[in-house]
Amino acid sequence: KTNKASIHVHSSPQSLPQLKLRGQAPKALRWKRLESRYESHKTCVTNLLSILRHHNVDFACINRVELDRQHLSGVDLVVAVGGDGTVLSAAHFLDHGTIPLLGINSDPTSEDDKSVKKKSDERRSHGALCMCTAQDMDTALPPVLYGDGHIETRTRIQTVVKSTFAETRLVPALNDMLIANPSPAAVSRFRMGWLQKANQSQHSQIPDTQIPNCEIYGTVTRFSGIPYSVTNSINVWSSGMWVSTATGSSAAMAAAGGKHMNTSSRDLQYLIREHMIENHPSTKQELADFNNKIVGSEEQLTLRWNSQKGRIFIDGSHLSHNLELGDEILINAKAPPLSLFTRDAAL
C-alpha cells in the first residue's frame, strides 16, 4: 500500500490585476478562458486530495516551480497533476528511477476541441504520459494506492557534455532532446559518430550505422576518463538534431518524420533536421538515408559541436544546457529507467 505520496501540480497563473500592475498582462490573452482552465485544474487537485485522504495516504502538495529533491524523501509515489509537460518536469527529479511516477491529466481535450479547423484553438495537453484524467481518477487511483495498477519501465536518454574545463551529466530525458543552434534560422554544425572503447577492434561492425566514404575518426576522445575511438563519423550542416526514446517517438520525433517505436524498446532514435547534403551523386542518397536511424541500447552516439553557440533542450523548452564551440556530447540509453504508471499495456 502507498503510505506517502508527493503531489506535483502545474504552476498557477498569476491574477490579471497582478499582471496589469506590473505592466505584464498580454493584450491578446483570453483571460476568462485561462481562468476556466485553471479552475478545472484546481478542482482536479481538490478531488485528488480528497481521494488520498479517504484512503489514509499521507501526502505533500507541491507546486511545479517549487519541487525539489528534498520533497521526495520517504515518498512511495509521485503524482503529477496537469498534463504531459508536468509529468516530464516531475520525471527530471526522479533521476535515480527508484520512485514510480503517475500522471493525471487535469483538463483533457474534448473530442470536439481536437479539431484544427475551429476559429479558436482549444486543444490542451494530449495526456499521452498520464495514466488517467480528472474524470476517471476516482476509479483508476485506488488500485494503484493498494499495490495494483499497470506500471511500465521506460528508457531514458543519458547525456554527458564535455567542455574545456568540465564534464556535465544532464538530467535523464524521458521523451526527447533537441540539439540545435539557439537561433532557428542559424545553421547547426557538428560532427557525429559512434563511440567504441579504444581497446576494441576498430574494424568491428556497428549495426545500421555504415556510412559510405567515411573513415574512422582517428582522434581518441575521453568521457569520465575512459578512452574511446569515434567511428563512422560525418560532418553535418543542418537545423539540428532530435534524439528520442521509444516513449518520445510518438511526439516531436513523429511530427518530424521519424519512426514510431514500441514503448518497451530500450533503443533510441535520432533524426537530423533539414540536413544540407552536398549534391554528390555517389553519396547523396546514402547520406540522406542516414538522417533518421535507430541507436541500439548498447550503442553510444557522440557529437562534436562545431558552431559558436548551441543548446540542448531536454523534454521541451523549459530545461536546457548551453553548448560552446568544441564541446563534445555523449548520448546513450544508460540513464536509470523510469517506472511509469500507464492505463494499460497498449499505451
Side-chain angles (χ1 to χ4, degrees), residues 301-328:
L301 188 65
T302 183
L303 274 70
R304 197 271 188 188
W305 193 251
N306 288 334
S307 292
Q308 286 292 330
K309 300 292 181 181
R311 193 166 295 166
I312 301 177
F313 298 92
I314 304 169
D315 287 332
S317 61
H318 293 292
L319 185 61
S320 64
H321 180 87
N322 290 330
L323 297 173
E324 301 287 343
L325 175 66
D327 284 356
E328 295 182 62

Side-chain angles (χ1 to χ4, degrees), residues 74-259:
V75 166
D76 302 311
L77 172 69
V78 172
V79 181
V81 185
D84 290 329
T86 313
V87 174
L88 291 170
S89 176
H92 294 157
F93 291 90
L94 305 176
D95 45 5
H96 294 294
T98 56
I99 303 173
L101 176 61
L102 186 154
I104 300 175
N105 191 346
S106 59
D107 188 22
T109 305
S110 67
E111 288 300 318
D112 182 59
D113 286 340
K114 290 181 181 179
S115 172
V116 296
K117 294 185 176 181
K118 299 180 67 174
K119 184 177 180 180
S120 60
D121 191 348
E122 301 294 337
R123 291 173 294 172
R124 276 88 83 192
S125 177
H126 182 57
L129 301 175
C130 297
M131 190 201 78
C132 57
T133 69
Q135 282 74 39
D136 63 359
M137 66 178 179
D138 56 333
T139 57
L141 276 178
V144 172
L145 299 178
Y146 287 92
D148 204 352
H150 182 78
I151 194 166
E152 293 186 358
T153 300
R154 297 293 181 93
T155 295
R156 295 193 284 183
I157 305 170
Q158 176 174 271
T159 308
V160 178
V161 178
K162 185 177 71 172
S163 56
T164 305
F165 299 110
E167 190 170 290
T168 306
R169 186 181 299 269
L170 307 186
V171 300
L174 175 59
N175 247 13
D176 50 40
M177 297 191 314
L178 174 60
I179 308 172
N181 194 292
S183 169
V187 175
S188 296
R189 300 177 56 180
F190 54 88
R191 185 174 182 89
M192 65 175 291
W194 275 258
L195 291 180
Q196 287 184 299
K197 287 188 177 180
N199 60 356
Q200 295 180 2
S201 170
Q202 293 189 335
H203 300 289
S204 62
Q205 293 185 349
I206 302 176
D208 296 324
T209 58
Q210 298 304 316
I211 311 172
N213 301 329
C214 292
E215 299 178 354
I216 292 174
Y217 190 36
T219 302
V220 173
T221 187
R222 292 176 183 269
F223 285 95
S224 301
I226 301 173
Y228 294 94
S229 294
V230 183
T231 66
N232 293 333
S233 57
I234 60 170
N235 293 311
V236 177
W237 287 25
S238 70
S239 295
M241 186 170 79
W242 284 108
V243 182
S244 85
T245 62
T247 298
S249 66
S250 60
M253 179 63 75
K259 307 174 181 69

Side-chain angles (χ1 to χ4, degrees), residues 155-158 266-268 295-299 331-336:
T155 295
R156 295 193 284 183
I157 305 170
Q158 176 174 271
R266 295 179 57 238
D267 297 339
L268 305 179
V295 180
S297 60
E298 297 302 318
E299 293 183 290
I331 302 168
N332 60 37
K334 297 180 180 180

